[in-house]
Amino acid sequence: FGLSVSPSLQADLYVNFGVLYKQSRKLDQASEYFRRALQVHPEDGHALVQLASLDQIQQSENVVRLDSDYVVGLFDGYSQRFEHELVHVLQYVGHKLVADALLAQDDWLQELPKKSSISIVDIGCGTGLLGELLRLQVGDFLL
């Protein structure tokens, strides 16, 4: 009995096999499965990225743009662990440096109006890490 499987699902299966082979250091087999994924779904972002990680993208296959579904899925999947990896794995300290620099200039702290009449918004990169540090040092008037 023949089952009909969408090209996208078929590509996902090939990519998953490719990742397993890659993790087992069987790079030729991994490359083959990533290429099979691209045969059934030519714009599969995961397969393209995996091939690129193996230095298997040929000059004629230059990736100009990744499929938007792949990019959305990548960012949605990463968003839950982004802050942890940024701070604990990558040792990001930009928010600490900015907070330290601001707090070292305590003249601006003295000029702040009553807490209930001011709002400060942390509009950095969306993590809110700077706002948390300032709230701990200055008070609860941050949004």
Side-chain angles (χ1 to χ4, degrees), residues 37-52:
L38 292 173
Q39 286 173 350
V40 295
H41 190 239
E43 296 192 7
D44 187 279
H46 199 176
L48 288 167
V49 169
Q50 289 294 337
L51 275 174

Side-chain angles (χ1 to χ4, degrees), residues 15-66:
V15 167
N16 288 337
F17 277 115
V19 169
L20 289 173
Y21 278 115
K22 183 179 173 186
Q23 290 172 342
S24 300
R25 303 206 183 277
K26 296 178 180 177
L27 304 184
D28 289 338
Q29 291 94 330
S31 178
E32 177 60 33
Y33 275 99
F34 298 140
R35 291 194 182 284
R36 286 184 189 179
L38 292 173
Q39 286 173 350
V40 295
H41 190 239
E43 296 192 7
D44 187 279
H46 199 176
L48 288 167
V49 169
Q50 289 294 337
L51 275 174
S53 77
L54 296 173
D55 289 329
Q56 295 291 317
I57 296 289
Q58 304 301 319
Q59 194 69 7
S60 62
E61 299 174 305
N62 281 338
V63 178
V64 176
R65 181 176 177 272
L66 292 173

Side-chain angles (χ1 to χ4, degrees), residues 29-116:
Q29 291 94 330
S31 178
E32 177 60 33
Y33 275 99
F34 298 140
R35 291 194 182 284
R36 286 184 189 179
L38 292 173
Q39 286 173 350
V40 295
H41 190 239
E43 296 192 7
D44 187 279
H46 199 176
L48 288 167
V49 169
Q50 289 294 337
L51 275 174
S53 77
L54 296 173
D55 289 329
Q56 295 291 317
I57 296 289
Q58 304 301 319
Q59 194 69 7
S60 62
E61 299 174 305
N62 281 338
V63 178
V64 176
R65 181 176 177 272
L66 292 173
D67 179 64
S68 61
D69 289 340
Y70 170 74
V71 174
V72 168
L74 179 68
F75 277 86
D76 286 351
Y78 190 58
S79 66
Q80 296 299 314
R81 63 183 196 277
F82 172 75
E83 187 175 310
H84 172 79
E85 290 194 21
L86 181 69
V87 175
H88 300 290
V89 176
L90 299 174
Q91 303 293 309
Y92 174 76
V93 294
H95 59 297
K96 291 179 182 179
L97 296 174
V98 172
D100 289 347
L102 286 171
L103 295 171
Q105 307 296 319
D106 60 82
D107 55 327
W108 73 275
L109 290 172
Q110 304 303 321
E111 296 176 19
L112 288 177
K114 294 180 183 177
K115 290 182 180 182
S116 63

